[in-house]
């Protein structure tokens, strides 16, 4: 799925994180409602609250995931049915320091709306997303502090979509325990165990030795649990495969695995079996 072909880049690289003047210009000129309509044509309900930076970044990230599937048959190419932008006061729950997130089971996320199904993805709107240059700068800062696996301005947008794709792949393989029409239709299985599997990954605590294998290349956030490690490694695999001149993939992200240590390669190979 190519949501918007007119969002492209040129060869004038402005920052180390891959943002160009042409990309900034194109994102500034997009019509958010048109983008949402294009997503809807692919049965994806998107609401970006008129945020051009968020809409533009999600489009570019979505196109990379779709391209990986179509060009290299890499991963599933799955995109969540719901992609939302939110403000903290709109949430039905209070949680400090919550930013972007993907839910792993049906949840009443927004105060005045019905529950959203598993894999729905949410991006927080605030001063930090008010321009793509700010997004770019903050990713540079995050990477400099060794928190994230890359400094690319699309990092967080890819990260959450990869979470959704990962959870979807696990549920398709093992089934999903929720007793509703959505789960039964998308993830039929007589003895489902996918949710249990995802929760176990989310509760995993890495040992000090494992952290030493992770942090130098993939940052501190990747040591949160196995779900975050997969998302951080896969995000880096994608951004290191991007042609900065065209914002398309210059190679199969899978080829990046050979650059990582044995611990990471084994972990990723295990997770990729779900797809």
């Amino acid at each position: 799925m190519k949501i918007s072909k007119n969002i492209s880049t040129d060869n004038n690289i402005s920052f180390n994180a891959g943002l160009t003047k042409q990309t900034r210009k194109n994102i500034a000129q997009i019509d958010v409602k048109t983008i949402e309509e294009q997503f809807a044509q692919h049965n994806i309900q998107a609401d970006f609250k008129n945020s051009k930076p968020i809409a533009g970044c999600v489009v570019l990230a979505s196109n990379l995931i779709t391209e990986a599937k179509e060009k290299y048959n890499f991963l599933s190419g799955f995109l969540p049915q719901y992609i939302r932008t939110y403000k903290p006061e709109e949430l039905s729950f209070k949680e400090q320091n919550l930013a972007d997130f993907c839910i792993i089971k049906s949840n009443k996320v927004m105060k005045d709306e019905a529950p959203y199904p598993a894999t729905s993805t949410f991006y927080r709107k605030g001063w930090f997303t008010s321009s793509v240059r700010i997004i770019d700068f903050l990713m540079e800062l995050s990477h400099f502090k060794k928190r994230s696996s890359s400094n690319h301005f699309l990092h967080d947008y890819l990260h959450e979509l990869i979470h959704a794709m990962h959870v979807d792949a696990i549920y398709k393989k093992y089934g999903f325990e929720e007793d509703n029409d959505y789960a039964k239709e998308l993830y039929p299985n007589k003895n489902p165990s996918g949710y249990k599997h995802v929760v176990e990954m989310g509760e995993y605590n890495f040992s000090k030795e494992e952290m030493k294998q992770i942090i130098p290349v993939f940052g501190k956030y990747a040591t949160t649990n196995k779900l975050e490690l997969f998302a951080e490694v896969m995000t880096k695999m994608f951004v290191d495969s991007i042609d900065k001149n065209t914002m398309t993939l210059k190679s199969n992200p899978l080829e990046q695995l050979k650059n990582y240590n044995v611990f990471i390669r084994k972990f990723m190979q295990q997770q990729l079996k779900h797809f």
Side-chain angles (χ1 to χ4, degrees), residues 208-221:
K208 290 184 178 179
E209 288 302 314
E210 289 173 327
M211 288 186 181
K212 290 179 181 179
Q213 300 293 318
I214 298 169
I215 292 176
V217 177
F218 303 102
K220 299 173 185 176
Y221 191 67

Side-chain angles (χ1 to χ4, degrees), residues 60-119:
L60 291 172
S62 299
N63 285 348
L64 289 168
I65 287 173
T66 301
E67 183 184 9
K69 171 63 176 178
E70 294 178 350
K71 190 174 181 180
Y72 300 109
N73 196 30
F74 181 59
L75 301 180
S76 64
F78 171 85
L79 294 173
Q81 184 178 351
Y82 293 91
I83 302 175
R84 289 294 309 266
T85 297
Y86 76 94
K87 294 181 179 180
E89 59 269 23
E90 297 175 310
L91 297 178
S92 63
F93 52 87
K94 292 183 178 180
E95 186 172 338
Q96 292 183 340
N97 301 319
L98 185 66
D100 307 329
F101 61 95
C102 169
I103 59 176
I104 63 173
K105 65 177 181 178
S106 296
N107 199 340
K108 184 173 175 54
V109 178
M110 311 295 284
K111 288 180 181 178
D112 302 322
E113 299 179 18
Y116 281 83
T119 74

Side-chain angles (χ1 to χ4, degrees), residues 190-202:
K190 292 183 179 180
N191 298 294
S193 61
Y195 180 72
K196 179 183 177 181
H197 188 80
V198 169
V199 170
E200 289 175 351
M201 292 187 68

Side-chain angles (χ1 to χ4, degrees), residues 104-147:
I104 63 173
K105 65 177 181 178
S106 296
N107 199 340
K108 184 173 175 54
V109 178
M110 311 295 284
K111 288 180 181 178
D112 302 322
E113 299 179 18
Y116 281 83
T119 74
S120 297
T121 302
F122 299 80
Y123 295 99
R124 182 173 175 176
K125 184 178 182 180
W127 67 266
F128 38 82
T129 60
S130 58
S131 80
V132 72
R133 295 193 72 170
I134 293 177
I135 293 172
D136 177 68
F137 171 78
L138 292 177
M139 281 316 309
E140 288 276 13
L141 185 62
S142 176
H143 188 58
F144 177 77
K145 292 184 175 181
K146 301 187 183 302
R147 182 177 184 273

Side-chain angles (χ1 to χ4, degrees), residues 107-265:
N107 199 340
K108 184 173 175 54
V109 178
M110 311 295 284
K111 288 180 181 178
D112 302 322
E113 299 179 18
Y116 281 83
T119 74
S120 297
T121 302
F122 299 80
Y123 295 99
R124 182 173 175 176
K125 184 178 182 180
W127 67 266
F128 38 82
T129 60
S130 58
S131 80
V132 72
R133 295 193 72 170
I134 293 177
I135 293 172
D136 177 68
F137 171 78
L138 292 177
M139 281 316 309
E140 288 276 13
L141 185 62
S142 176
H143 188 58
F144 177 77
K145 292 184 175 181
K146 301 187 183 302
R147 182 177 184 273
S148 59
S149 63
S150 84
N151 64 348
H152 201 282
F153 74 100
L154 291 181
H155 179 280
D156 287 356
Y157 300 91
L158 279 165
H159 179 104
E160 296 306 330
L161 293 178
I162 287 168
H163 270 318
M165 186 163 42
H166 190 200
V167 171
D168 172 75
I170 292 172
Y171 288 172
K172 282 179 177 172
K173 184 171 183 178
Y174 299 106
F176 184 30
E177 291 90 319
E178 279 194 347
D179 186 18
N180 55 44
D181 293 339
Y182 177 85
K184 291 177 181 178
E185 180 179 353
L186 265 68
Y187 311 113
N189 191 304
K190 292 183 179 180
N191 298 294
S193 61
Y195 180 72
K196 179 183 177 181
H197 188 80
V198 169
V199 170
E200 289 175 351
M201 292 187 68
E203 294 177 346
Y204 186 87
N205 294 312
F206 290 105
S207 68
K208 290 184 178 179
E209 288 302 314
E210 289 173 327
M211 288 186 181
K212 290 179 181 179
Q213 300 293 318
I214 298 169
I215 292 176
V217 177
F218 303 102
K220 299 173 185 176
Y221 191 67
T223 65
T224 304
N225 54 53
K226 287 186 175 181
L227 293 174
E228 299 302 344
L229 177 59
F230 180 83
E232 282 295 298
V233 175
M234 188 58 66
T235 297
K236 182 172 176 58
M237 290 170 66
F238 265 90
V239 300
D240 287 349
S241 303
I242 294 174
D243 183 335
K244 293 182 179 180
N245 296 329
T246 62
M247 282 303 296
T248 59
L249 295 174
K250 61 184 178 183
S251 61
N252 188 340
L254 185 62
E255 295 178 9
Q256 297 294 329
L257 269 184
K258 65 179 182 294
N259 299 322
Y260 307 150
N261 61 46
V262 174
F263 172 78
I264 295 297
R265 290 203 304 271

